[in-house]
Amino acid sequence: MALPTPELKTERLLLRPFTDADAAPLYALQSDAHVLRYWDSPPWTDPARSQRFLATCRRIEEEGSGARVAVERVSDGSFIGWCGLTGFNPDFRSASLGYAFDAAAWGNGYATETAHAVLRWAFEALDLNRVQAEADTRNVASARVLEKLGFVLEGTLREDCVVNGDVSDSWVFGLLRRDWHATAGRWTESENR
């Protein structure tokens, strides 16, 4: 069963389904070694990877296993990143959260604002009980984003990634529906920028 990708709006952002026009800025983002230094795969070196990513977005939507949104800044219409849920399991009511943002957008609260909107959609529209996220243990900024959203650090996956010869650990975070409801009412976009 298909899982239509939502269009969501926040105070400063438009979260929308990807289009073919996103291929170039997506490649620029995913080929930036600085942005992907904590990623679980190396930066892209082939522009065709954008088309494969976009095809995967359509496929997971059609399969009902996830949804990824392009993130556009409302003030100037620029593509600044993406966020998505993958591994959606309707029986367990669970999914995994992931995101990537252009380095020029860092430090403005866009990741938190985006993820909050996606999580609100996930818990309300999909009736999720649990969302999981992982972050490289060196990526303290991403861990802070998850903690602001109410995620709890549940453990460490030791030496689970090897990227460009570097072995790294990952933190595993979990957010339960009951914890989301307890914190969502207190959360505002302006507090978490």
Side-chain angles (χ1 to χ4, degrees):
M1 174 167 30
L3 176 62
T5 300
E7 182 171 295
L8 307 168
K9 293 180 181 172
T10 71
E11 178 184 335
R12 303 178 297 162
L13 305 170
L14 172 63
L15 287 57
R16 56 169 175 73
F18 276 95
T19 68
D20 289 337
D22 296 316
L26 177 64
Y27 178 74
L29 171 69
Q30 296 293 139
S31 63
D32 185 328
H34 180 66
V35 169
L36 267 47
R37 70 190 184 281
Y38 301 130
W39 208 252
D40 60 358
S41 60
W44 294 352
T45 57
D46 177 7
R49 287 288 305 270
S50 292
Q51 292 303 324
R52 292 196 298 272
F53 182 94
L54 296 175
T56 298
C57 291
R58 289 187 290 272
R59 182 181 49 78
I60 65 174
E61 178 181 13
E62 290 166 6
E63 293 172 349
S65 63
R68 289 182 181 142
V69 292
V71 181
E72 184 179 297
R73 192 171 34 228
V74 172
S75 63
D76 61 6
S78 62
F79 173 94
I80 61 169
W82 63 268
C83 183
L85 290 175
T86 58
F88 173 56
N89 184 323
D91 295 329
F92 295 153
R93 295 173 40 222
S94 63
S96 294
L97 177 74
Y99 48 82
F101 285 85
D102 184 87
W106 293 354
N108 293 296
Y110 294 135
T112 307
E113 189 173 330
T114 297
H116 184 267
V118 169
L119 289 166
R120 182 182 325 122
W121 170 74
F123 284 114
E124 292 175 4
L126 303 180
D127 192 32
L128 290 187
N129 183 60
R130 175 185 167 79
V131 177
Q132 181 170 306
E134 294 179 14
D136 187 295
T137 56
R138 299 167 295 177
N139 194 347
V140 176
S142 189
R144 277 196 310 263
V145 167
L146 296 170
E147 289 168 348
K148 286 178 190 177
L149 294 163
F151 280 83
V152 173
L153 177 61
E154 297 179 334
T156 302
L157 299 174
R158 298 180 315 141
E159 298 184 7
D160 72 318
C161 289
V162 180
V163 178
N164 294 326
D166 292 331
V167 178
S168 64
D169 301 337
S170 295
W171 285 316
V172 178
F173 291 86
L175 177 61
L176 302 180
R177 180 182 192 78
R178 67 176 175 262
D179 297 332
W180 168 258
H181 285 302
T183 61
R186 294 188 311 234
W187 192 94
T188 65
E189 292 159 358
S190 60
E191 290 172 334
N192 288 289
R193 285 191 195 141

